[in-house]
Amino acid sequence: SAVISQKPSRDICQRGTSLTIQCQVDSQVTMMFWYRQQPGQSLTLIATANQGSEATYESGFVIDKFPISRPNLTFSTLTVSNMSPEDSSIYLCSARLDTATDTQYFGPGTRLTVL
Amino acid sequence: DQQVKQNSPSLSVQEGRISILNCDYTNSMFDYFLWYKKYPAEGPTFLISISSIKDKNEDGRFTVFLNKSAKHLSLHIVPSQPGDSAVYFCAASGNAGGTSYGKLTFGQGTILTVHP
């Protein structure tokens, strides 16, 4: 498995502001993913981020609210824009390290609280 | 529509005994299944997976069983240890790798508590 890190680990933000979360993988990967885990809920996929192409968003998530960058094979960012208290969640990035399986490995998560 | 379901929110087991976590799915296109363990304030940790061409996969204390006709999988932990106390998520995908999309659909999770 690879080491996947996220920054920041947690943040408290004011309503209406934006936060950019960084995800770094210590090896080159084609597919990276961003998930949200709302309090007491399961993990919900926000989008898939492949290097060299636009992110693919799941139903209910839009690029204006969650813009994603994937500038190279080891790094991705997720921005949570114009935040409201409903955006308070844990945001997780993951990477698919082996193209022979769909196994994903996760970063430690970013705990976001919006006041 | 919850395509992957874990109907038991919690499970309590005595140390040394077997823990059995269950998961049901509805999408017959799923052909790769995974179990993750999650501690508070950490990301999910991959435990074990199984392809639909198998009905059992074993890794140390962890065994996953797949019953395709029933669309059911289970994770057995033997023997259970207090350090196994965590939230366990099952997940499923529609392809077993290659150039597939690779999207995972997660269940709601089961909180496992192993008592000393």
Side-chain angles (χ1 to χ4, degrees):
Chain A
S1 62
V3 174
I4 302 174
S5 59
Q6 285 184 235
K7 288 195 297 187
S9 59
R10 58 176 60 230
D11 207 341
I12 300 174
C13 301
Q14 295 297 319
R15 180 195 299 262
T17 63
S18 298
L19 176 72
T20 295
I21 302 167
Q22 300 178 8
C23 180
Q24 180 78 49
V25 186
D26 70 350
S27 60
Q28 294 185 339
V29 296
T30 302
M31 299 184 78
M32 294 180 71
F33 305 83
W34 287 97
Y35 290 84
R36 179 174 75 181
Q37 185 184 20
Q38 294 179 300
Q41 302 296 314
S42 183
L43 282 74
T44 301
L45 180 64
I46 297 172
T48 301
N50 291 339
Q51 197 272 334
S53 63
E54 295 290 324
T56 302
Y57 289 82
E58 296 299 304
S59 175
F61 297 97
V62 295
I63 187 171
D64 290 346
K65 176 67 175 177
F66 297 102
I68 288 171
S69 78
R70 183 78 203 275
N72 57 51
L73 289 172
T74 64
F75 187 77
S76 179
T77 67
L78 170 75
T79 299
V80 186
S81 303
N82 188 23
M83 289 184 284
S84 67
E86 291 71 35
D87 294 319
S88 297
S89 292
I90 298 172
Y91 290 86
L92 296 144
C93 71
S94 70
R96 185 178 163 200
L97 306 182
D98 180 358
T99 56
T101 78
D102 284 342
T103 301
Q104 295 176 23
Y105 295 88
F106 284 81
T110 296
R111 181 178 294 272
L112 171 62
T113 301
V114 184
L115 302 176
Chain B
D1 176 29
Q2 192 78 33
Q3 296 188 69
V4 178
K5 299 180 182 180
Q6 294 175 254
N7 292 318
S8 298
S10 63
L11 175 67
S12 182
V13 172
Q14 204 69 30
E15 180 179 8
R17 306 296 289 269
I18 184 171
S19 295
I20 301 176
L21 299 121
N22 294 302
C23 180
D24 297 297
Y25 62 96
T26 57
N27 189 338
S28 58
M29 295 302 292
F30 288 147
D31 62 4
Y32 189 69
F33 305 90
L34 310 91
W35 284 96
Y36 288 86
K37 176 173 71 174
K38 187 178 185 301
Y39 293 120
E42 295 185 11
T45 300
F46 169 69
L47 280 176
I48 192 169
S49 62
I50 188 167
S51 166
S52 61
I53 62 173
K54 297 184 176 181
D55 54 18
K56 176 183 175 181
N57 189 26
E58 189 172 356
D59 184 1
R61 295 186 298 116
F62 302 92
T63 302
V64 56
F65 295 91
L66 176 62
N67 182 334
K68 289 186 290 294
S69 61
K71 293 189 177 66
H72 177 82
L73 65 153
S74 61
L75 175 68
H76 293 208
I77 305 173
V78 182
S80 301
Q81 301 171 354
D84 295 329
S85 298
V87 180
Y88 288 77
F89 291 97
C90 67
S93 71
N95 288 284
T99 57
S100 71
Y101 177 55
K103 170 184 172 180
L104 295 182
T105 301
F106 283 83
Q108 307 96 308
T110 297
I111 301 170
L112 173 66
T113 304
V114 180
H115 298 283

Short mmCIF file of all heavy atoms in Angstrom, two decimals, chain A residues 10 31 33 35 37 40-45 47-48 56-58 90 92 96 98-109 111, chain B residues 2 31-32 34 36 38 40-46 49 89 93-109:
data_model
loop_
_atom_site.label_atom_id
_atom_site.label_comp_id
_atom_site.label_asym_id
_atom_site.label_seq_id
_atom_site.Cartn_x
_atom_site.Cartn_y
_atom_site.Cartn_z
N ARG A 10 -7.93 19.02 10.07
CA ARG A 10 -9.21 19.54 10.52
C ARG A 10 -9.22 21.05 10.37
O ARG A 10 -8.16 21.68 10.31
CB ARG A 10 -9.51 19.16 11.96
CG ARG A 10 -8.48 19.64 12.97
CD ARG A 10 -8.88 19.30 14.39
NE ARG A 10 -9.04 17.88 14.59
CZ ARG A 10 -10.11 17.33 15.15
NH1 ARG A 10 -11.13 18.08 15.55
NH2 ARG A 10 -10.19 16.03 15.32
N MET A 31 -5.91 6.91 -10.79
CA MET A 31 -7.24 7.27 -10.30
C MET A 31 -7.18 7.69 -8.84
O MET A 31 -6.66 6.96 -7.99
CB MET A 31 -8.20 6.09 -10.45
CG MET A 31 -8.39 5.65 -11.90
SD MET A 31 -9.60 4.34 -12.08
CE MET A 31 -11.12 5.29 -11.95
N PHE A 33 -9.87 9.59 -5.80
CA PHE A 33 -11.28 9.79 -5.52
C PHE A 33 -11.44 10.70 -4.30
O PHE A 33 -10.59 10.72 -3.41
CB PHE A 33 -11.96 8.44 -5.21
CG PHE A 33 -11.79 7.40 -6.27
CD1 PHE A 33 -10.64 6.63 -6.33
CD2 PHE A 33 -12.78 7.19 -7.22
CE1 PHE A 33 -10.48 5.65 -7.32
CE2 PHE A 33 -12.63 6.21 -8.21
CZ PHE A 33 -11.48 5.45 -8.25
N TYR A 35 -14.31 11.54 -1.25
CA TYR A 35 -15.52 11.09 -0.57
C TYR A 35 -15.88 12.07 0.53
O TYR A 35 -15.04 12.81 1.04
CB TYR A 35 -15.30 9.71 0.08
CG TYR A 35 -15.15 8.56 -0.88
CD1 TYR A 35 -13.93 8.28 -1.47
CD2 TYR A 35 -16.23 7.73 -1.16
CE1 TYR A 35 -13.79 7.20 -2.34
CE2 TYR A 35 -16.11 6.65 -2.02
CZ TYR A 35 -14.88 6.40 -2.60
OH TYR A 35 -14.74 5.32 -3.45
N GLN A 37 -18.03 11.95 4.31
CA GLN A 37 -18.71 11.16 5.33
C GLN A 37 -19.37 12.13 6.30
O GLN A 37 -18.70 12.74 7.15
CB GLN A 37 -17.76 10.24 6.09
CG GLN A 37 -18.49 9.33 7.07
CD GLN A 37 -17.58 8.46 7.90
OE1 GLN A 37 -16.40 8.72 8.04
NE2 GLN A 37 -18.14 7.39 8.45
N GLY A 40 -22.38 10.29 11.31
CA GLY A 40 -23.21 9.09 11.46
C GLY A 40 -23.58 8.41 10.17
O GLY A 40 -24.41 7.49 10.18
N GLN A 41 -22.99 8.85 9.07
CA GLN A 41 -23.36 8.30 7.76
C GLN A 41 -22.22 7.49 7.15
O GLN A 41 -21.12 7.41 7.69
CB GLN A 41 -23.73 9.44 6.81
CG GLN A 41 -24.85 10.32 7.30
CD GLN A 41 -26.16 9.58 7.42
OE1 GLN A 41 -26.55 8.84 6.52
NE2 GLN A 41 -26.83 9.74 8.54
N SER A 42 -22.53 6.90 6.01
CA SER A 42 -21.52 6.14 5.29
C SER A 42 -20.66 7.07 4.43
O SER A 42 -20.83 8.29 4.46
CB SER A 42 -22.20 5.10 4.41
OG SER A 42 -21.25 4.30 3.76
N LEU A 43 -19.77 6.49 3.68
CA LEU A 43 -18.94 7.26 2.76
C LEU A 43 -19.69 7.43 1.44
O LEU A 43 -20.20 6.46 0.86
CB LEU A 43 -17.62 6.55 2.48
CG LEU A 43 -16.53 6.64 3.54
CD1 LEU A 43 -16.86 5.77 4.74
CD2 LEU A 43 -15.18 6.25 2.96
N THR A 44 -19.73 8.65 0.95
CA THR A 44 -20.40 8.97 -0.30
C THR A 44 -19.38 9.54 -1.27
O THR A 44 -18.68 10.51 -0.94
CB THR A 44 -21.52 9.99 -0.08
OG1 THR A 44 -22.48 9.45 0.85
CG2 THR A 44 -22.23 10.30 -1.40
N LEU A 45 -19.30 8.96 -2.45
CA LEU A 45 -18.36 9.43 -3.45
C LEU A 45 -18.79 10.78 -4.01
O LEU A 45 -19.94 10.94 -4.44
CB LEU A 45 -18.25 8.41 -4.59
CG LEU A 45 -17.29 8.74 -5.73
CD1 LEU A 45 -15.85 8.79 -5.22
CD2 LEU A 45 -17.42 7.73 -6.87
N ALA A 47 -16.53 12.62 -6.30
CA ALA A 47 -16.04 12.66 -7.69
C ALA A 47 -14.81 11.78 -7.84
O ALA A 47 -14.13 11.47 -6.86
CB ALA A 47 -15.72 14.09 -8.09
N THR A 48 -14.55 11.43 -9.08
CA THR A 48 -13.33 10.71 -9.46
C THR A 48 -12.42 11.70 -10.19
O THR A 48 -12.88 12.43 -11.09
CB THR A 48 -13.68 9.55 -10.40
OG1 THR A 48 -14.58 8.67 -9.73
CG2 THR A 48 -12.43 8.79 -10.80
N THR A 56 -14.94 13.61 -12.71
CA THR A 56 -16.28 13.08 -12.96
C THR A 56 -17.06 13.11 -11.66
O THR A 56 -16.68 12.44 -10.70
CB THR A 56 -16.21 11.64 -13.48
OG1 THR A 56 -15.43 11.61 -14.68
CG2 THR A 56 -17.61 11.12 -13.78
N TYR A 57 -18.16 13.87 -11.64
CA TYR A 57 -18.92 14.08 -10.41
C TYR A 57 -20.11 13.12 -10.32
O TYR A 57 -20.75 12.80 -11.32
CB TYR A 57 -19.42 15.53 -10.33
CG TYR A 57 -18.30 16.51 -10.08
CD1 TYR A 57 -17.49 16.98 -11.11
CD2 TYR A 57 -18.02 16.93 -8.77
CE1 TYR A 57 -16.44 17.84 -10.87
CE2 TYR A 57 -16.97 17.82 -8.52
CZ TYR A 57 -16.19 18.26 -9.58
OH TYR A 57 -15.14 19.12 -9.32
N GLU A 58 -20.40 12.71 -9.11
CA GLU A 58 -21.55 11.85 -8.84
C GLU A 58 -22.81 12.71 -8.73
O GLU A 58 -22.75 13.94 -8.55
CB GLU A 58 -21.35 11.07 -7.55
CG GLU A 58 -20.19 10.11 -7.61
CD GLU A 58 -20.37 9.06 -8.69
OE1 GLU A 58 -21.40 8.36 -8.68
OE2 GLU A 58 -19.47 8.95 -9.55
N ILE A 90 -16.55 14.83 7.26
CA ILE A 90 -15.19 14.40 7.04
C ILE A 90 -15.02 14.20 5.53
O ILE A 90 -15.84 13.55 4.89
CB ILE A 90 -14.89 13.08 7.77
CG1 ILE A 90 -15.05 13.28 9.29
CG2 ILE A 90 -13.48 12.58 7.45
CD1 ILE A 90 -14.95 11.99 10.08
N LEU A 92 -12.59 12.75 2.58
CA LEU A 92 -11.54 11.74 2.43
C LEU A 92 -11.11 11.63 0.98
O LEU A 92 -11.96 11.61 0.07
CB LEU A 92 -12.06 10.36 2.88
CG LEU A 92 -12.42 10.24 4.36
CD1 LEU A 92 -13.61 9.33 4.53
CD2 LEU A 92 -11.23 9.70 5.15
N ARG A 96 -6.46 4.52 -6.15
CA ARG A 96 -6.45 3.15 -6.64
C ARG A 96 -5.02 2.86 -7.08
O ARG A 96 -4.56 3.42 -8.07
CB ARG A 96 -7.43 3.00 -7.77
CG ARG A 96 -7.62 1.61 -8.30
CD ARG A 96 -8.67 1.64 -9.39
NE ARG A 96 -8.62 0.45 -10.21
CZ ARG A 96 -9.13 0.37 -11.42
NH1 ARG A 96 -9.73 1.41 -11.95
NH2 ARG A 96 -9.06 -0.75 -12.10
N ASP A 98 -3.51 -0.21 -7.74
CA ASP A 98 -3.28 -1.35 -8.60
C ASP A 98 -4.40 -1.40 -9.62
O ASP A 98 -5.56 -1.58 -9.26
CB ASP A 98 -3.25 -2.64 -7.77
CG ASP A 98 -3.01 -3.88 -8.60
OD1 ASP A 98 -2.89 -3.77 -9.83
OD2 ASP A 98 -2.94 -4.98 -8.01
N THR A 99 -4.06 -1.24 -10.88
CA THR A 99 -5.12 -1.22 -11.90
C THR A 99 -5.76 -2.59 -12.11
O THR A 99 -6.76 -2.70 -12.80
CB THR A 99 -4.55 -0.73 -13.24
OG1 THR A 99 -3.44 -1.55 -13.60
CG2 THR A 99 -4.10 0.73 -13.15
N ALA A 100 -5.20 -3.65 -11.48
CA ALA A 100 -5.78 -4.98 -11.63
C ALA A 100 -6.97 -5.19 -10.69
O ALA A 100 -7.73 -6.14 -10.86
CB ALA A 100 -4.73 -6.05 -11.35
N THR A 101 -7.11 -4.33 -9.68
CA THR A 101 -8.26 -4.45 -8.77
C THR A 101 -8.87 -3.08 -8.54
O THR A 101 -8.27 -2.05 -8.88
CB THR A 101 -7.86 -5.03 -7.40
OG1 THR A 101 -7.25 -3.99 -6.62
CG2 THR A 101 -6.90 -6.19 -7.54
N ASP A 102 -10.04 -3.06 -7.94
CA ASP A 102 -10.70 -1.79 -7.60
C ASP A 102 -10.43 -1.37 -6.16
O ASP A 102 -11.10 -0.48 -5.65
CB ASP A 102 -12.21 -1.93 -7.82
CG ASP A 102 -12.57 -1.88 -9.30
OD1 ASP A 102 -11.74 -1.41 -10.09
OD2 ASP A 102 -13.68 -2.32 -9.65
N THR A 103 -9.46 -1.99 -5.52
CA THR A 103 -9.15 -1.64 -4.14
C THR A 103 -8.64 -0.21 -4.06
O THR A 103 -7.76 0.19 -4.82
CB THR A 103 -8.10 -2.59 -3.56
OG1 THR A 103 -8.60 -3.92 -3.62
CG2 THR A 103 -7.80 -2.23 -2.11
N GLN A 104 -9.21 0.56 -3.15
CA GLN A 104 -8.78 1.93 -2.92
C GLN A 104 -8.17 2.04 -1.53
O GLN A 104 -8.62 1.38 -0.59
CB GLN A 104 -9.96 2.90 -3.05
CG GLN A 104 -10.55 2.96 -4.44
CD GLN A 104 -11.77 3.84 -4.52
OE1 GLN A 104 -11.98 4.73 -3.70
NE2 GLN A 104 -12.58 3.61 -5.54
N TYR A 105 -7.18 2.88 -1.42
CA TYR A 105 -6.54 3.17 -0.15
C TYR A 105 -6.81 4.63 0.19
O TYR A 105 -6.74 5.50 -0.68
CB TYR A 105 -5.04 2.87 -0.22
CG TYR A 105 -4.77 1.40 -0.43
CD1 TYR A 105 -4.73 0.86 -1.71
CD2 TYR A 105 -4.62 0.56 0.66
CE1 TYR A 105 -4.51 -0.49 -1.90
CE2 TYR A 105 -4.40 -0.81 0.47
CZ TYR A 105 -4.36 -1.32 -0.81
OH TYR A 105 -4.16 -2.67 -1.01
N PHE A 106 -7.10 4.87 1.48
CA PHE A 106 -7.60 6.15 1.90
C PHE A 106 -6.58 6.97 2.68
O PHE A 106 -5.74 6.43 3.39
CB PHE A 106 -8.85 5.96 2.78
CG PHE A 106 -10.07 5.61 2.00
CD1 PHE A 106 -10.31 4.30 1.59
CD2 PHE A 106 -10.99 6.58 1.64
CE1 PHE A 106 -11.44 3.98 0.86
CE2 PHE A 106 -12.12 6.28 0.91
CZ PHE A 106 -12.34 4.97 0.52
N GLY A 107 -6.72 8.28 2.55
CA GLY A 107 -6.01 9.19 3.42
C GLY A 107 -6.69 9.26 4.78
O GLY A 107 -7.74 8.65 4.99
N PRO A 108 -6.11 10.02 5.70
CA PRO A 108 -6.63 10.08 7.07
C PRO A 108 -7.89 10.93 7.21
O PRO A 108 -8.55 10.88 8.24
CB PRO A 108 -5.47 10.70 7.86
CG PRO A 108 -4.73 11.50 6.85
CD PRO A 108 -4.85 10.76 5.56
N GLY A 109 -8.22 11.71 6.19
CA GLY A 109 -9.43 12.51 6.25
C GLY A 109 -9.20 13.92 6.75
O GLY A 109 -8.20 14.22 7.43
N ARG A 111 -11.44 16.76 8.78
CA ARG A 111 -12.68 17.02 9.52
C ARG A 111 -13.00 18.50 9.42
O ARG A 111 -12.26 19.34 9.93
CB ARG A 111 -12.55 16.60 10.96
CG ARG A 111 -13.82 16.80 11.79
CD ARG A 111 -13.64 16.31 13.21
NE ARG A 111 -13.45 14.87 13.26
CZ ARG A 111 -14.44 13.98 13.35
NH1 ARG A 111 -15.70 14.41 13.40
NH2 ARG A 111 -14.18 12.69 13.41
N GLN B 2 -30.39 2.30 -1.54
CA GLN B 2 -29.20 1.81 -0.86
C GLN B 2 -28.80 0.50 -1.52
O GLN B 2 -29.42 -0.54 -1.28
CB GLN B 2 -29.52 1.61 0.63
CG GLN B 2 -28.32 1.38 1.49
CD GLN B 2 -27.57 2.66 1.80
OE1 GLN B 2 -28.16 3.71 1.92
NE2 GLN B 2 -26.27 2.56 1.91
N ASP B 31 -19.20 -7.00 -8.84
CA ASP B 31 -18.44 -8.24 -8.93
C ASP B 31 -17.13 -8.20 -8.13
O ASP B 31 -16.28 -9.07 -8.29
CB ASP B 31 -18.16 -8.60 -10.39
CG ASP B 31 -17.34 -7.55 -11.11
OD1 ASP B 31 -16.90 -6.56 -10.46
OD2 ASP B 31 -17.12 -7.69 -12.33
N TYR B 32 -16.98 -7.19 -7.31
CA TYR B 32 -15.78 -7.10 -6.47
C TYR B 32 -16.21 -6.46 -5.17
O TYR B 32 -16.89 -5.42 -5.16
CB TYR B 32 -14.72 -6.25 -7.18
CG TYR B 32 -13.37 -6.25 -6.52
CD1 TYR B 32 -12.59 -7.40 -6.52
CD2 TYR B 32 -12.86 -5.11 -5.92
CE1 TYR B 32 -11.33 -7.40 -5.94
CE2 TYR B 32 -11.61 -5.11 -5.34
CZ TYR B 32 -10.85 -6.25 -5.35
OH TYR B 32 -9.60 -6.26 -4.79
N LEU B 34 -15.30 -5.54 -0.90
CA LEU B 34 -14.21 -5.20 0.00
C LEU B 34 -14.75 -4.96 1.40
O LEU B 34 -15.90 -4.57 1.58
CB LEU B 34 -13.48 -3.94 -0.46
CG LEU B 34 -13.05 -3.84 -1.93
CD1 LEU B 34 -14.12 -3.20 -2.79
CD2 LEU B 34 -11.76 -3.03 -2.04
N TYR B 36 -13.54 -2.69 4.86
CA TYR B 36 -12.66 -1.70 5.43
C TYR B 36 -12.95 -1.57 6.92
O TYR B 36 -14.09 -1.76 7.37
CB TYR B 36 -12.88 -0.32 4.78
CG TYR B 36 -12.37 -0.19 3.37
CD1 TYR B 36 -13.16 -0.57 2.28
CD2 TYR B 36 -11.10 0.34 3.11
CE1 TYR B 36 -12.68 -0.44 0.98
CE2 TYR B 36 -10.63 0.48 1.81
CZ TYR B 36 -11.43 0.08 0.76
OH TYR B 36 -10.96 0.22 -0.52
N LYS B 38 -12.51 1.18 10.17
CA LYS B 38 -12.27 2.61 10.40
C LYS B 38 -12.28 2.91 11.89
O LYS B 38 -13.27 2.65 12.58
CB LYS B 38 -13.33 3.46 9.69
CG LYS B 38 -13.03 4.97 9.74
CD LYS B 38 -14.06 5.76 9.00
CE LYS B 38 -13.68 7.24 8.95
NZ LYS B 38 -13.55 7.84 10.28
N PRO B 40 -12.00 5.99 14.81
CA PRO B 40 -12.32 7.42 14.87
C PRO B 40 -11.12 8.28 14.50
O PRO B 40 -9.98 7.95 14.85
CB PRO B 40 -12.72 7.63 16.35
CG PRO B 40 -13.16 6.29 16.80
CD PRO B 40 -12.31 5.30 16.07
N ALA B 41 -11.36 9.34 13.79
CA ALA B 41 -10.33 10.31 13.40
C ALA B 41 -9.27 9.72 12.46
O ALA B 41 -8.18 10.29 12.34
CB ALA B 41 -9.65 10.92 14.63
N GLU B 42 -9.57 8.58 11.85
CA GLU B 42 -8.66 8.02 10.85
C GLU B 42 -9.44 7.70 9.58
O GLU B 42 -10.66 7.57 9.60
CB GLU B 42 -7.99 6.75 11.37
CG GLU B 42 -7.06 6.97 12.55
CD GLU B 42 -6.34 5.70 12.94
OE1 GLU B 42 -6.41 4.71 12.18
OE2 GLU B 42 -5.72 5.69 14.02
N GLY B 43 -8.71 7.54 8.49
CA GLY B 43 -9.35 7.09 7.27
C GLY B 43 -9.59 5.59 7.29
O GLY B 43 -9.00 4.87 8.09
N PRO B 44 -10.49 5.09 6.43
CA PRO B 44 -10.72 3.64 6.36
C PRO B 44 -9.46 2.89 5.97
O PRO B 44 -8.69 3.35 5.12
CB PRO B 44 -11.79 3.52 5.27
CG PRO B 44 -12.43 4.87 5.19
CD PRO B 44 -11.35 5.83 5.50
N THR B 45 -9.27 1.74 6.59
CA THR B 45 -8.13 0.87 6.29
C THR B 45 -8.64 -0.36 5.58
O THR B 45 -9.54 -1.05 6.07
CB THR B 45 -7.41 0.45 7.58
OG1 THR B 45 -6.94 1.63 8.26
CG2 THR B 45 -6.24 -0.46 7.28
N PHE B 46 -8.07 -0.67 4.42
CA PHE B 46 -8.46 -1.85 3.66
C PHE B 46 -8.11 -3.11 4.43
O PHE B 46 -7.00 -3.26 4.93
CB PHE B 46 -7.78 -1.84 2.29
CG PHE B 46 -7.92 -3.13 1.53
CD1 PHE B 46 -9.14 -3.52 1.03
CD2 PHE B 46 -6.82 -3.95 1.35
CE1 PHE B 46 -9.28 -4.72 0.34
CE2 PHE B 46 -6.94 -5.15 0.65
CZ PHE B 46 -8.17 -5.53 0.15
N SER B 49 -10.55 -8.37 0.41
CA SER B 49 -11.48 -8.26 -0.71
C SER B 49 -11.77 -9.64 -1.28
O SER B 49 -11.09 -10.63 -0.96
CB SER B 49 -10.89 -7.35 -1.78
OG SER B 49 -9.70 -7.91 -2.31
N PHE B 89 -16.89 -1.25 7.33
CA PHE B 89 -17.68 -0.94 6.14
C PHE B 89 -17.46 -2.01 5.09
O PHE B 89 -16.32 -2.41 4.82
CB PHE B 89 -17.26 0.40 5.54
CG PHE B 89 -17.61 1.60 6.37
CD1 PHE B 89 -16.68 2.17 7.22
CD2 PHE B 89 -18.88 2.17 6.29
CE1 PHE B 89 -16.99 3.29 7.99
CE2 PHE B 89 -19.20 3.29 7.06
CZ PHE B 89 -18.26 3.85 7.90
N SER B 93 -17.91 -2.90 -6.02
CA SER B 93 -17.69 -2.22 -7.29
C SER B 93 -18.17 -3.11 -8.42
O SER B 93 -18.37 -4.31 -8.26
CB SER B 93 -16.22 -1.86 -7.48
OG SER B 93 -15.45 -3.02 -7.73
N GLY B 94 -18.32 -2.46 -9.59
CA GLY B 94 -18.95 -3.16 -10.70
C GLY B 94 -17.99 -3.86 -11.63
O GLY B 94 -18.38 -4.54 -12.55
N ASN B 95 -16.69 -3.66 -11.38
CA ASN B 95 -15.69 -4.33 -12.22
C ASN B 95 -14.52 -4.73 -11.35
O ASN B 95 -14.30 -4.13 -10.32
CB ASN B 95 -15.22 -3.40 -13.34
CG ASN B 95 -16.28 -3.21 -14.39
OD1 ASN B 95 -16.51 -4.07 -15.21
ND2 ASN B 95 -16.92 -2.07 -14.37
N ALA B 96 -13.77 -5.70 -11.78
CA ALA B 96 -12.66 -6.21 -10.96
C ALA B 96 -11.33 -5.69 -11.48
O ALA B 96 -10.35 -6.40 -11.53
CB ALA B 96 -12.67 -7.72 -10.94
N GLY B 97 -11.26 -4.43 -11.85
CA GLY B 97 -9.98 -3.85 -12.20
C GLY B 97 -9.83 -3.61 -13.69
O GLY B 97 -10.81 -3.50 -14.41
N GLY B 98 -8.61 -3.55 -14.12
CA GLY B 98 -8.34 -3.25 -15.51
C GLY B 98 -8.60 -1.79 -15.79
O GLY B 98 -8.17 -0.93 -15.03
N THR B 99 -9.33 -1.49 -16.81
CA THR B 99 -9.61 -0.09 -17.13
C THR B 99 -10.99 0.32 -16.64
O THR B 99 -11.58 1.26 -17.14
CB THR B 99 -9.55 0.12 -18.66
OG1 THR B 99 -10.48 -0.77 -19.28
CG2 THR B 99 -8.16 -0.16 -19.18
N SER B 100 -11.50 -0.40 -15.62
CA SER B 100 -12.84 -0.11 -15.14
C SER B 100 -12.88 1.25 -14.45
O SER B 100 -11.87 1.82 -14.08
CB SER B 100 -13.30 -1.18 -14.17
OG SER B 100 -12.60 -1.07 -12.96
N TYR B 101 -14.10 1.71 -14.26
CA TYR B 101 -14.32 2.99 -13.62
C TYR B 101 -13.82 2.98 -12.18
O TYR B 101 -13.32 3.97 -11.69
CB TYR B 101 -15.80 3.31 -13.72
CG TYR B 101 -16.22 4.58 -13.05
CD1 TYR B 101 -15.60 5.79 -13.36
CD2 TYR B 101 -17.23 4.59 -12.11
CE1 TYR B 101 -16.00 6.96 -12.76
CE2 TYR B 101 -17.63 5.76 -11.51
CZ TYR B 101 -17.02 6.95 -11.84
OH TYR B 101 -17.40 8.11 -11.24
N GLY B 102 -14.00 1.87 -11.48
CA GLY B 102 -13.43 1.73 -10.15
C GLY B 102 -14.21 2.34 -9.03
O GLY B 102 -13.70 2.46 -7.92
N LYS B 103 -15.44 2.73 -9.26
CA LYS B 103 -16.23 3.37 -8.22
C LYS B 103 -16.63 2.36 -7.15
O LYS B 103 -17.06 1.26 -7.46
CB LYS B 103 -17.49 3.97 -8.86
CG LYS B 103 -18.52 4.47 -7.88
CD LYS B 103 -19.75 4.96 -8.63
CE LYS B 103 -20.88 5.28 -7.68
NZ LYS B 103 -22.08 5.76 -8.39
N LEU B 104 -16.50 2.76 -5.87
CA LEU B 104 -16.93 1.93 -4.75
C LEU B 104 -18.22 2.48 -4.17
O LEU B 104 -18.36 3.69 -3.99
CB LEU B 104 -15.87 1.89 -3.66
CG LEU B 104 -14.52 1.23 -4.00
CD1 LEU B 104 -13.61 1.24 -2.77
CD2 LEU B 104 -14.72 -0.18 -4.51
N THR B 105 -19.13 1.57 -3.85
CA THR B 105 -20.35 1.92 -3.14
C THR B 105 -20.27 1.28 -1.77
O THR B 105 -20.05 0.07 -1.65
CB THR B 105 -21.60 1.40 -3.89
OG1 THR B 105 -21.63 1.97 -5.20
CG2 THR B 105 -22.87 1.79 -3.15
N PHE B 106 -20.46 2.09 -0.71
CA PHE B 106 -20.27 1.64 0.66
C PHE B 106 -21.59 1.37 1.36
O PHE B 106 -22.61 2.02 1.09
CB PHE B 106 -19.51 2.71 1.45
CG PHE B 106 -18.04 2.74 1.16
CD1 PHE B 106 -17.54 3.42 0.07
CD2 PHE B 106 -17.14 2.09 2.00
CE1 PHE B 106 -16.17 3.44 -0.21
CE2 PHE B 106 -15.79 2.11 1.75
CZ PHE B 106 -15.31 2.79 0.63
N GLY B 107 -21.55 0.42 2.29
CA GLY B 107 -22.64 0.24 3.23
C GLY B 107 -22.57 1.26 4.34
O GLY B 107 -21.65 2.09 4.39
N GLN B 108 -23.52 1.17 5.26
CA GLN B 108 -23.64 2.19 6.31
C GLN B 108 -22.66 1.97 7.45
O GLN B 108 -22.45 2.86 8.27
CB GLN B 108 -25.06 2.20 6.89
CG GLN B 108 -26.15 2.35 5.85
CD GLN B 108 -26.72 1.00 5.45
OE1 GLN B 108 -25.98 0.09 5.08
NE2 GLN B 108 -28.02 0.88 5.49
N GLY B 109 -22.08 0.80 7.52
CA GLY B 109 -21.13 0.51 8.57
C GLY B 109 -21.75 -0.22 9.75
O GLY B 109 -22.94 -0.07 10.06
#
